Amino acid sequence: MTMRRLSVFNVTSLVIGFAFLYLPILLLVLYSFNASRLVTVWGGFSTQWYGALFRNEALMEAAWVTLRVAFLSATLATVLGTLAALALTRYGRFPGRTLFTGMVYAPMVMPEVITGLSLLLFFVAVDFDRGFWTITLAHTTLTMCFVTVVVQSRLMTFDRSLEEAAMDLGAPPLRTFFSVTLPLIAPSIVAGFLLAFTLSMDDLVIASFNAGPGATTLPIKIYSAVRLGLSPEVNAASAILIGIVTLGVISATLLSKRSVLRSRRNAH
Amino acid sequence: MMERSLTRRLSAGLVPAVPYLWLGVLFLVPFLIVLKISLSDPAVAQPPYKPVFEWSDIAGFFGGLDLENFTLLIEDDLYFRATLSSVRIAAISTLLLLLVGFPIAYGMARAPERYRALLVAAIILPFWTSFLIRIYAWVAILKPEGLLTQALMAVGLISEPLDILNTETAVYIGIVYAYLPFMVLPLYATLEKMDDTLLEAALDLGSTPWRSFWTITVPLAMPGIIAGSLLCFIPAVGEFVIPDLLGGSETLMIGRQLWSEFFSNRDWPLASAVAILLLIVLVVPIVIYRDVEARRVETQR
């Protein structure tokens, strides 16, 4: 095969494409250090909005609720999603499989307004008070489908003979799962968890439908602040979130790269 | 031996049953409830709808239903226009996404192999940052005195402030920006696997680059084009945040209509009927997407 070469057109489209993706985010972070209250007019460097942010108790409270919901729902979603992925790849044709795959794929493309509304109406029908738990259950339902897809694609590509060897040597199914299957699919489970966590932290629409008087999440707070106009505090909050996410993604990438290198070294 | 087959049978039953039950209760049942409530009457109460049936009363379930909300949806052409306008905005956005996404995916696929993983990571990274925040970033850019106007005035391209925020143009920019990774990644996945010798053969036989692009690259990239387009089109039709923050009051979209029926007008039955309408519009693309996705997963084996 000949070498693929980048043409001028290819390089230009990559540069413009990535500038388009990253400039708005960089500007947002830059203007969080703006001394002026007018978000789009540069008035000198300042970190005052970060101070204001940490003194804003309502916002801090919402951030805490958001983190708790994200952690709990991502944990539940990881367990349920891994089970669903195992069911789809290891258990062949169980009754109602078609309905099951439908229910796994549908929530991912379903408009959020529909998912949010339907869950809310369900919680009202069974008389479940809206608040922390309703948001958690709603997020679990949405994000478990993403975990399923991530774990499923790993289960599909891995070497079944390792599992079969363990079984032939007399390991019971549960033991085989925990000592062979689980370590092999662990990276995809971690990736699924992180995806579920981020999706939950990010969600406005489903949380808005299912939030109660006791529990408001950060995106709901940010949304209502944005509706009133631009606010430098929102810029500061966004910059912090972007920083956390960037660090998380970079460290996850490095970690997975190291584990790949290590397993390659062991193989030699 | 007995014990082992017992645990095996138990796990064979439990592993699918737990997620099945979860989705059944929290996805399927809520859906049926939406359908039911869309057929009931609004009430000034808490919750603001009159249940058509008590849980124990099956006969009443069929007795009290009416199509009043749907008649209203048909009679009031607001919903019809909102549906049409959502489909139109989503279709135009998908086309724009293809135009913007294809050159990027193509460039990524032609980049030296050692950079490709990095480029993919760079496309995904913005997706991990909050959707709401990324849309908010555009408010500051598109405002009349915003950063885009400042930049263009500074280089002398325009003399009057641009008035893009609160127009449909801003909605297109927002959708293209937010959904770009969903378009680029499936395109990249198919373009990366493409066999370059085909293009070389075409060029050797005297085809122009433009012609070989249309007769070779595009047909081979079709699975990616279809997957990316559906992945963008379906959620764009029901989009709420983007038209609400970037669009103007005249930007009609059905997701926004549902939101305002629910939160502003507190008409839950009508909101449910709008949800059913949105679902009817989307059922065909969702089914196609599910088939495409299932086939892709199967071929991975």
Side-chain angles (χ1 to χ4, degrees):
Chain A
M1 207 171 118
T2 51
M3 268 291 287
R4 293 183 178 187
R5 279 220 316 275
L6 275 169
S7 65
V8 179
F9 173 72
N10 293 148
V11 175
T12 321
S13 44
L14 282 178
V15 170
I16 295 177
F18 281 100
F20 175 63
L21 274 178
Y22 282 92
L23 263 182
I25 301 176
L26 291 177
L27 285 171
L28 179 78
V29 175
L30 180 70
Y31 276 83
S32 71
F33 295 105
N34 189 357
S36 163
R37 176 153 267 290
L38 294 165
V39 172
T40 53
V41 182
W42 185 253
F45 180 85
S46 158
T47 51
Q48 57 169 317
W49 305 117
Y50 289 87
L53 182 67
F54 286 108
R55 284 190 300 276
N56 186 336
E57 266 171 41
L59 217 57
M60 286 291 113
E61 170 68 27
W64 179 231
V65 171
T66 312
L67 281 176
R68 272 162 43 217
V69 168
F71 184 78
L72 201 61
S73 69
T75 309
L76 282 170
T78 306
V79 175
L80 288 164
T82 307
L83 287 177
L86 282 168
L88 286 174
T89 45
R90 292 289 188 270
Y91 290 93
R93 314 230 132 257
F94 54 87
R97 193 190 150 97
T98 318
L99 177 66
F100 188 63
T101 30
M103 288 198 297
V104 168
Y105 284 111
M108 288 190 285
V109 282
M110 192 72 76
E112 289 170 321
V113 281
I114 299 186
T115 315
L117 177 71
S118 66
L119 278 163
L120 163 76
L121 295 176
F122 169 75
F123 290 131
V124 169
V126 296
D127 213 7
F128 196 105
D129 276 340
R130 278 190 277 163
F132 177 83
W133 283 105
T134 46
I135 306 177
T136 306
L137 292 177
H139 281 179
T140 307
T141 310
L142 175 75
T143 57
M144 69 170 278
C145 303
F146 288 87
V147 178
T148 307
V149 172
V150 173
V151 177
Q152 189 189 8
S153 64
R154 177 77 188 111
L155 279 170
M156 291 244 170
T157 49
F158 98 24
D159 193 356
R160 286 295 293 270
S161 58
L162 291 169
E163 276 179 348
E164 280 154 18
M167 300 273 224
D168 287 346
L169 293 172
L174 264 182
R175 175 124 186 254
T176 311
F177 176 76
F178 281 107
S179 55
V180 178
T181 317
L182 196 59
L184 281 170
I185 60 171
S188 67
I189 293 180
V190 173
F193 175 85
L194 288 176
L195 181 62
F197 191 89
T198 327
L199 285 169
S200 163
M201 282 227 339
D202 192 21
D203 168 66
L204 165 72
V205 175
I206 294 173
S208 295
F209 277 101
N210 293 288
T216 310
T217 64
L218 199 55
I220 298 177
K221 277 268 181 253
I222 292 180
Y223 172 71
S224 50
V226 172
R227 293 222 65 181
L228 298 174
L230 297 169
S231 125
E233 274 177 45
V234 170
N235 277 45
S238 313
I240 293 176
L241 283 179
I242 292 170
I244 294 173
V245 166
T246 313
L247 278 179
V249 171
I250 290 174
S251 49
T253 318
L254 290 179
L255 272 179
S256 69
K257 206 173 236 171
R258 219 174 53 191
S259 72
V260 168
L261 284 180
R262 201 170 28 212
S263 62
R264 235 183 246 163
R265 213 172 302 140
N266 290 347
H268 284 304
Chain B
M1 211 57 210
M2 264 305 283
E3 197 192 351
R4 189 179 302 168
S5 73
L6 190 71
T7 48
R8 188 169 298 180
R9 222 177 305 152
L10 205 66
S11 80
L14 269 178
V15 169
V18 174
Y20 208 132
L21 207 68
W22 183 285
L23 285 173
V25 171
L26 284 160
F27 181 72
L28 203 60
V29 171
F31 232 69
L32 299 176
I33 294 177
V34 172
L35 190 63
K36 189 210 82 177
I37 291 174
S38 73
L39 301 171
S40 55
D41 299 318
V44 185
Q46 190 60 264
Y49 73 91
K50 217 157 53 189
V52 177
F53 74 112
E54 294 302 315
W55 287 99
S56 52
D57 176 16
I58 298 296
F61 180 74
F62 297 103
L65 297 181
D66 57 54
L67 291 168
E68 204 178 299
N69 295 303
F70 288 95
T71 337
L72 189 69
L73 285 189
I74 293 166
E75 277 168 4
D76 191 342
D77 79 329
L78 174 70
Y79 300 97
F80 182 66
R81 281 186 295 129
T83 311
L84 269 189
S85 143
S86 302
V87 171
R88 182 175 53 85
I89 290 176
I92 295 176
S93 308
T94 307
L95 215 64
L96 290 171
L97 274 158
L98 265 175
L99 285 175
V100 176
F102 206 100
I104 300 176
Y106 198 64
M108 286 167 67
R110 302 195 70 81
E113 204 160 346
R114 61 179 184 283
Y115 294 129
R116 279 188 217 152
L118 188 71
L119 288 171
V120 170
I123 283 283
I124 299 174
L125 186 61
F127 163 78
W128 290 90
T129 45
S130 165
F131 182 75
L132 183 61
I133 290 175
R134 282 182 292 147
I135 297 306
Y136 168 75
W138 278 98
V139 177
I141 295 172
L142 298 177
K143 258 164 57 108
E145 323 79 48
L147 303 171
L148 184 65
T149 296
Q150 287 177 24
L152 291 178
M153 276 175 135
V155 295
L157 271 175
I158 52 164
S159 51
E160 298 262 298
L162 287 173
D163 203 3
I164 302 181
L165 190 65
N166 302 330
T167 64
E168 229 172 81
T169 315
V171 176
Y172 292 131
I173 296 175
I175 295 180
V176 169
Y177 182 69
Y179 289 39
L180 196 57
F182 296 106
M183 181 59 92
V184 171
L185 290 176
L187 284 177
Y188 167 76
T190 50
L191 287 173
E192 204 234 343
K193 280 183 296 200
M194 210 176 85
D195 187 355
D196 277 359
T197 50
L198 291 170
L199 282 178
E200 277 163 32
L203 286 174
D204 287 347
L205 293 171
S207 161
T208 59
W210 183 243
R211 188 158 163 223
S212 30
F213 174 77
W214 282 107
T215 51
I216 297 171
T217 313
V218 170
L220 283 176
M222 222 19 134
I225 294 175
I226 293 172
S229 301
L230 287 170
L231 213 52
C232 294
F233 178 80
I234 299 168
V237 172
E239 188 52 61
F240 161 73
V241 177
I242 298 174
D244 194 59
L245 292 182
L246 300 179
S249 50
E250 80 286 354
T251 314
L252 272 180
M253 283 194 83
I254 193 155
R256 209 177 171 192
Q257 216 55 50
L258 192 159
W259 182 282
S260 74
E261 285 313 337
F262 184 85
F263 286 102
S264 314
N265 303 343
R266 296 188 60 77
D267 191 339
W268 291 17
L270 192 59
S272 305
V274 176
I276 298 293
L277 177 69
L278 177 54
L279 206 68
I280 292 169
V281 173
L282 289 181
V283 77
V284 172
I286 287 181
V287 168
I288 298 175
Y289 172 74
R290 203 190 70 96
D291 283 356
V292 170
E293 206 35 33
R295 216 174 305 146
R296 189 184 64 82
V297 171
E298 290 297 316
T299 53
Q300 255 185 17
R301 271 177 197 274

